[in-house]
Amino acid sequence: MSVLPLIAITITVLFSPLVLSLKAGECEVCISVLNRFRATLDKEQQGDQKVIEKEFVKFCKPLKLKENRFCYYLGGTADAATGILGEMAKPLSWGMPSAKVCEKLKKKDRQICELTYEKQIDFSTVDLKKLKVKDLKKILNDWDEGCDGCLEKSDFIKRIEELKPKHVRSEL
């Protein structure tokens, strides 16, 4: 019995590209955006690839931050350098689940699945004094608020405490 076929099969198995399903929390931005986008399409639009591409470009216009970056990677923004909208639209037109579409997109551009949402701060338990000034500035920026004249950490904390009732809903 020849050992050569056995070695060839072993090499083929070891070096063939592995198809792995998505891990928990992976591609969260992709899955979230595609699910929300799919919900905006009516029945006639869901089966037409070209319509899906056009609607996705419209859907991407108001998006910001990580979601906008996702649209950029697919080619759904005006400033996108590449366009793989077809790679997203075709499987969507077949009715493929968003997680599977994202898995396919990951093979084309793995950056798509590296996008994650920022963790939300629980203002009922967080100690603002333990946060960095960078994080305090980010909180104010997320609220579209400024802090004119803030020089020290205590100034930022004071401003956040002033604005907290306006931006943070407290559970009853």
Side-chain angles (χ1 to χ4, degrees), residues 64-66 117-123 131 133-147 156 159-160 163-164 166-168:
K64 298 194 178 332
L65 303 172
K66 304 287 182 167
Y117 288 113
E118 304 272 330
K119 298 215 175 1
Q120 295 298 316
I121 296 172
D122 181 10
F123 285 99
L131 294 178
V133 173
K134 175 183 169 186
D135 296 328
L136 298 172
K137 286 181 178 180
K138 185 178 180 334
I139 291 169
L140 290 171
N141 190 32
D142 290 346
W143 290 349
D144 290 327
E145 298 284 353
C147 192
F156 288 100
R159 180 71 173 148
I160 289 171
L163 295 169
K164 206 189 269 190
K166 179 179 171 185
H167 295 283
V168 177

Side-chain angles (χ1 to χ4, degrees), residues 48-74:
D48 188 346
Q49 179 182 346
K50 294 296 177 193
V51 171
I52 290 173
E53 290 177 20
K54 287 180 188 171
E55 291 299 315
F56 188 74
V57 172
K58 288 182 199 171
F59 178 80
C60 284
K61 283 188 178 158
L63 298 181
K64 298 194 178 332
L65 303 172
K66 304 287 182 167
E67 294 173 344
N68 181 274
R69 179 62 41 191
F70 170 72
C71 289
Y72 174 80
Y73 290 152
L74 289 185

Side-chain angles (χ1 to χ4, degrees), residues 73-111:
Y73 290 152
L74 289 185
T77 59
D79 62 340
T82 62
I84 56 171
L85 280 176
E87 302 292 331
M88 174 271 306
K90 192 181 291 184
L92 276 184
S93 70
W94 301 334
M96 186 180 284
S98 298
K100 287 290 184 188
V101 175
C102 292
E103 201 175 310
K104 286 182 168 291
L105 291 172
K106 181 182 177 183
K107 292 176 188 172
K108 296 287 179 187
D109 186 355
R110 64 181 180 162
Q111 294 179 88

